[in-house]
Amino acid sequence: MKDNIKELFPVVTEQGEVIGSATRGECHSGSRLLHPVVHLHVFNSRGEIYLQKRPEWKDIQPGKWDTAVGGHVDYGETPAEALQREVREELGITEFLPQFVDMYVFDSRRERELVYVHRTTYDGPVRPSQNELDGGRFWSTAEIRAAIGQGILTPNFESEYQRCFPELL
């Protein structure tokens, strides 16, 4: 399996205004085209956080542990619509109450993303997609602290966790 490099993404300003479109391949080529993504951090009532394991075939950060749900906003889709779709596709969760946490620009050598960050508390069943993920599990805050900087977690998750949940460090 591979990502569809022809998938169409909106190109946006840092405020989220759509100013054009580009393919996944163009956005991930080092072009620096800013494109929106949605993230959902799923906590359970014990305060543990669910992380997904990225498959080895992914074009960005293969094999690393990452935010429970992370996905691109498709061209013509709102961030709220993308969040509902991605949570359903990646974790099989259809009923959850997202809380907006932050919006920021993630900048790496390969891409620039406008990240819409949300969180939820959820104790129901999680059914990770067998097509999109290599599984997932809930992690304690102690496990997260021990893994930071060890090459186990994606750099994006590490920086976002530290930015959005400093009280958990």
Side-chain angles (χ1 to χ4, degrees):
M1 189 155 210
K2 289 184 82 164
D3 285 319
N4 177 4
I5 64 169
K6 295 184 186 226
E7 186 177 4
L8 199 59
F9 297 155
V11 175
V12 297
T13 66
E14 291 188 7
Q15 293 72 41
E17 178 188 352
V18 177
I19 56 171
S21 65
T23 66
R24 173 189 291 269
E26 292 169 321
C27 289
H28 290 181
S29 69
S31 67
R32 321 291 296 138
L33 293 170
L34 185 62
H35 56 288
V37 298
V38 291
H39 287 179
L40 180 69
H41 295 274
V42 177
F43 290 88
N44 63 24
S45 58
R46 294 184 304 280
E48 299 167 321
I49 187 169
Y50 189 90
L51 299 184
Q52 63 159 271
K53 183 137 190 244
R54 294 179 63 79
E56 293 295 334
W57 55 262
K58 291 299 270 183
D59 64 345
I60 304 275
Q61 299 294 325
K64 297 212 176 158
W65 290 89
D66 201 3
T67 307
V69 174
H72 290 89
V73 176
D74 290 337
Y75 188 73
E77 185 178 47
T78 68
E81 291 166 341
L83 184 66
Q84 293 292 324
R85 175 181 52 76
E86 289 289 344
V87 173
R88 184 180 63 252
E89 288 175 1
E90 293 187 5
L91 300 182
I93 298 172
T94 56
E95 293 187 28
F96 66 100
L97 183 60
Q99 298 170 296
F100 179 78
V101 175
D102 196 8
M103 182 175 79
Y104 69 94
V105 174
F106 176 75
D107 210 337
S108 73
R109 287 190 303 259
R110 191 163 179 187
E111 65 177 335
R112 288 180 72 225
E113 295 178 331
L114 181 62
V115 185
Y116 291 85
V117 182
H118 298 82
R119 69 172 290 162
T120 195
T121 301
Y122 180 80
D123 288 314
V126 179
R127 294 177 297 282
S129 168
Q130 294 185 358
N131 294 331
E132 292 192 40
L133 310 176
D134 273 351
R137 69 175 180 89
F138 281 96
W139 294 55
S140 70
T141 53
E143 288 176 302
I144 297 291
R145 282 193 299 270
I148 288 176
Q150 302 302 308
I152 298 166
L153 309 169
T154 65
N156 192 346
F157 171 77
E158 288 185 4
S159 65
E160 187 168 291
Y161 186 83
Q162 293 171 30
R163 173 191 181 103
C164 294
F165 309 110
E167 72 280 5
L168 302 178
L169 294 172

